[in-house]
Amino acid sequence: MDSSNTRREATRRKLFEAAVTLIAEQGFSSTTVDEIAERAGVAKGTVYYNFASKNVLFEELLRHGVEMLAGSLQNAADEVAERGGSRIDALDAMIHAGLYFISQYPALTQLYVAELWRTNRTWNTTLMMVRERAVSVVAEVIREAVAAGELSEEIDIPLTASALFGMVLVAALDWQSFQPDRSIDDVHAALSRLLQGRVSGHQGEGGAGPVAAPGPA
């Protein structure tokens, strides 16, 4: 990548970081392009040079952020596969990767979760597409686990993938907002026990019980 492209990517990254922080703090409608430019340390014209409008900037921000999260989840699963670990191990590693990502980008995660509940945004279609991208990474590992006999064939793969993805998002936000003194390893251990007991069907440390789909709490 030449120096001009490197500079542009650095500028866009600064704009992303400024926009996500401001919008998480005060809302999309209340955030102005002037404020984004000031927070990023660039001229207002630089914002419009890189993005046609505030809407486009925000849409690209969501796309970029969720793609980064999906990439983190995929990398975690791939690393486990390279070590010869099970698909359940891969799901567990993805939980840790998700928690770590959210701890690094809490404002982006808060923004993403908030926007999921809105229906009047121009970027709703984009938001659904990038969400599906992230969830599909989890779903693929679950599908492989079913094929390998690690999980029951009766498991609802799309719903379980969405549930695991949502569990990490909500648990991480709760951790960051209300239990910040807990370590990431502590939070991961709690979610790991939930994964092992409810999804994989393991019955405590004495060994694995029958593999089954999650039942009611």
Side-chain angles (χ1 to χ4, degrees):
M1 183 179 292
D2 60 38
S3 59
S4 61
N5 284 338
T6 301
R7 287 196 299 273
R8 186 180 185 196
E9 284 303 311
T11 299
R12 287 170 69 91
R13 186 165 55 251
K14 287 194 294 185
L15 289 171
F16 278 136
E17 292 171 355
V20 72
T21 302
L22 284 167
I23 294 170
E25 288 174 355
Q26 58 194 36
F28 176 79
S29 298
S30 299
T31 300
T32 67
V33 172
D34 284 339
E35 289 174 319
I36 293 171
E38 182 179 359
R39 180 69 66 95
V42 301
K44 181 178 180 179
T46 302
V47 180
Y48 290 115
Y49 175 77
N50 285 275
F51 304 98
S53 66
K54 187 175 72 168
N55 278 3
V56 171
L57 167 59
F58 188 69
E59 186 170 353
E60 287 301 310
L61 183 155
L62 288 172
R63 188 195 307 275
H64 177 70
V66 179
E67 278 292 336
M68 285 198 309
L69 173 57
S72 295
L73 299 178
Q74 186 66 66
N75 288 340
D78 290 345
E79 288 174 5
V80 171
E82 289 173 3
R83 297 196 305 267
S86 70
R87 279 75 174 182
I88 300 300
D89 291 334
L91 290 172
D92 188 58
M94 293 168 88
I95 288 175
H96 190 280
L99 291 172
Y100 180 78
F101 180 91
I102 293 166
S103 73
Q104 298 300 300
Y105 302 98
L108 174 64
T109 309
Q110 291 167 9
L111 200 55
Y112 169 76
V113 172
E115 289 301 316
L116 283 176
W117 297 98
R118 300 182 187 276
T119 59
N120 60 341
R121 302 298 203 193
T122 59
W123 51 78
N124 275 82
T125 299
T126 296
L127 187 60
M128 292 301 103
M129 288 175 61
V130 295
R131 173 199 169 276
E132 180 57 30
R133 161 81 175 103
V135 173
S136 68
V137 173
V138 182
E140 181 58 28
V141 176
I142 295 175
R143 189 171 292 108
E144 291 173 358
V146 171
E150 295 178 28
L151 294 176
S152 169
E153 293 182 356
E154 297 178 359
I155 198 169
D156 186 320
I157 294 174
L159 185 58
T160 302
S162 295
L164 287 173
F165 182 69
M167 176 185 74
V168 173
L169 286 179
V170 174
L173 288 177
D174 184 88
W175 163 42
Q176 294 286 302
S177 300
F178 303 112
Q179 306 178 66
D181 293 337
R182 299 184 68 168
S183 69
I184 186 172
D185 290 336
D186 186 29
V187 177
H188 172 242
L191 298 187
S192 180
R193 284 191 290 271
L194 183 62
L195 169 70
Q196 297 292 340
R198 301 302 288 166
V199 175
S200 70
H202 290 182
Q203 305 296 316
E205 297 179 357
V211 177

